[in-house]
Amino acid sequence: MKQQAPATTGPVGIAIVFVLALNLRPAVTSLGAALEDISATPGMTAAVGAVLVAIPLWASGLGGWVTPWLRSRLGIHKAVTWALLMLGASLVVRVQGGPSVLLAGTALACLAIAVVGTVLPVLVQSASSRTRASYTFALGSGSTIGALATPTLVGAVNWEFALASWALLALVTVWLWQGAARSSMVFKASSMSPTRLFRCAVSWNLTVYFGLVSTLTFLVMGWLPGILRDAGVSASTAGFCLALCMAMGLPMMWLVPFLVQRGRNQSLVVILLASSNAIGVVGLMVAPASVPWLWSVGLGIGMGGLAMALCSISERSGGSPDLATALSGMVQGLGYIIAGIGALACGLIHSSTGGWLAPLAMCLAVLCGQVWCGIHAGRPYIVRATPLPVVPRKVRPLPIVPLGEPAVQAIQQVVQPVIPQPRKPILPLIPTEQATEAT
């Protein structure tokens, strides 16, 4: 049996953080990359495809919400271990049946991903800026690798193999997680409920900011090729623009954590990232086919807002692992639900209008909300949890037992101690002979 590495008091290592974060996106982006081939299988309908695209957001929200409960029961180490095992198993099982099995397996995979994604801000809370940057950089790398490598695997074998092959990454991560030196905090099985942060304005601003950033991120990954192709851009160019967009997001996912940790106020970072996104959205509205690579670059730079939101979780927790777990559960749990609502609303607007102008205008409204919430969430405030109410306990009266006379006297002496009387002066004794002579 392999001997476990001893626990250390420092933060989790940069390599294990990178590998853990690398598992958070390929299961989702590979699904989108192979969606055209999946739609050709028997039993797949347009409704099933729509649910298949939306279910990762809802499952991620649910998984983020229950993670603090899992940590309080199992600790971070066991919770991450079981989540990775469930991720690997669900990625293999979901391609073994029809649409219902695919939907159920995708939901389980996203639940497992949400558990790992929610505890990662806790693991990097006391880490260096380089470790935090490796976390967000791996997140962007997983998105890019999953989107680019999956079509190649589909062409070489089939879409079932392409989707199931990402289970190997999860199994390798389990092995590394078991053998790597771990911080002693990962064994701590205690946590607070995210509901204790509901009265804090900073936690709500950060939650809404994360939800709006995720909304635009998922819309870009899902809609950018379709918008460009409807504008007359070739399929190869549209695919290249999507890859360029995600590639431009990688340096921002590395740079933003340094800016968050070194600056007291991140308002300027929020404005710059949203402005870059606005340039890309306005370009797609006005002239999508003129310089599509420029609009893709603008959208890719703006994806750094996701790193901004994730790193702010650690900054706003004030060094408390319990508070970081609760805040991460609230931000990612409710944030992904907000993103799911936003993506659904944009999809309905597109289907009702038949064009992209109205959905892109809605994306501009989402960016305005990002700036407002991001500026308030970027201020150097620490999230405060609502104290637990003190519930008075009922005190049962002690039974009255009759006591005997000796016990009563002993209690009275304790309660009312007897004060000794002053002693009489002791006179020196007179020897007998001296006393006889005196007489």
Side-chain angles (χ1 to χ4, degrees):
M1 179 181 291
K2 185 176 180 179
Q3 186 177 3
Q4 278 193 345
T8 61
T9 57
V12 179
I14 184 173
I16 192 64
V17 167
F18 180 87
V19 177
L20 284 172
L22 202 61
N23 286 269
L24 300 183
R25 287 294 181 268
V28 179
T29 56
S30 62
L31 190 66
L35 189 59
E36 184 176 355
D37 297 275
I38 296 173
S39 302
T41 58
M44 288 294 297
T45 63
V48 175
V51 174
L52 194 60
V53 173
I55 202 170
L57 290 171
W58 301 102
S60 297
L62 178 61
W65 188 254
V66 302
T67 299
W69 179 83
L70 288 176
R71 186 200 173 204
S72 64
R73 267 65 177 177
L74 303 176
I76 291 180
H77 177 248
K78 288 184 179 179
V80 171
T81 300
W82 284 107
L84 290 172
L85 291 174
M86 187 173 74
L87 173 60
S90 59
L91 290 179
V92 175
V93 171
R94 71 173 179 174
V95 299
Q96 304 300 321
S100 58
V101 177
L102 182 61
L103 289 173
T106 301
L108 289 176
C110 292
L111 284 172
I113 289 171
V115 173
V116 180
T118 304
V119 301
L120 269 171
V122 185
L123 297 180
V124 302
Q125 185 179 25
S126 59
S128 62
S129 299
R130 183 173 296 179
T131 303
R132 295 187 185 185
S134 70
Y135 161 41
T136 55
F137 182 78
L139 194 65
S141 300
S143 300
T144 306
I145 295 172
L148 296 181
T150 301
T152 303
L153 294 175
V154 171
V157 188
N158 51 41
W159 69 267
E160 291 90 348
F161 176 82
L163 267 60
S165 61
W166 298 106
L168 181 62
L169 177 61
L171 297 180
V172 171
T173 306
V174 171
W175 179 73
L176 294 175
W177 173 250
Q178 296 299 317
R182 298 178 296 272
S183 170
S184 58
M185 64 175 292
V186 304
F187 298 100
K188 185 180 179 183
S190 65
S191 184
M192 67 173 64
S193 173
T195 57
R196 294 180 58 186
L197 307 179
F198 279 6
R199 295 186 179 181
C200 181
V202 179
S203 60
W204 278 111
N205 287 321
L206 186 56
T207 299
V208 177
Y209 177 72
F210 178 83
L212 297 179
V213 169
S214 299
T215 300
L216 193 61
T217 300
F218 277 86
L219 290 179
V220 168
M221 290 190 299
W223 286 1
L224 182 59
I227 294 173
L228 295 178
R229 293 190 66 177
D230 289 349
V233 178
S234 63
S236 59
T237 304
F240 168 77
C241 288
L242 178 60
L244 178 63
C245 176
M246 290 187 293
M248 289 303 301
L250 293 180
M252 300 308 300
M253 298 291 276
W254 176 265
L255 179 62
V256 168
F258 292 94
L259 299 178
V260 170
Q261 193 166 18
R262 293 181 182 180
R264 287 181 53 83
N265 195 327
Q266 287 83 40
S267 300
L268 182 60
V269 179
V270 171
I271 295 174
L272 291 176
L273 293 174
S275 300
S276 178
N277 265 330
I279 292 174
V281 173
V282 172
L284 292 176
M285 294 175 66
V286 177
S290 59
V291 279
W293 59 269
L294 180 60
W295 317 140
S296 302
V297 169
L299 293 172
I301 293 175
M303 286 186 179
L306 188 62
M308 165 77 186
L310 292 173
C311 292
S312 296
I313 295 174
S314 302
E315 290 293 319
R316 301 295 167 259
S317 302
S320 171
D322 290 344
L323 191 59
T325 305
L327 183 59
S328 182
M330 177 179 176
V331 169
Q332 299 195 54
L334 296 180
Y336 278 122
I337 293 176
I338 294 173
I341 295 173
L344 178 61
C346 289
L348 292 176
I349 292 175
H350 170 62
S351 61
S352 62
T353 60
W356 296 106
L357 187 61
L360 289 173
M362 185 176 176
C363 290
L364 290 179
V366 169
L367 287 173
C368 293
Q370 281 187 27
V371 173
W372 173 264
C373 296
I375 289 176
H376 288 81
R379 294 174 180 176
Y381 295 148
I382 301 299
V383 172
R384 301 297 180 188
T386 303
L388 294 174
V390 179
V391 180
R393 294 186 300 175
K394 294 182 179 180
V395 181
R396 299 177 60 183
L398 296 176
I400 300 176
V401 180
L403 301 175
E405 186 65 23
V408 173
Q409 293 179 358
I411 293 175
Q412 290 178 350
Q413 290 180 3
V414 174
V415 178
Q416 296 180 353
V418 179
I419 301 176
Q421 298 293 330
R423 300 177 61 184
K424 296 181 180 181
I426 300 175
L427 298 178
L429 295 176
I430 301 177
T432 305
E433 295 180 357
Q434 295 181 359
T436 305
E437 294 176 358
T439 57

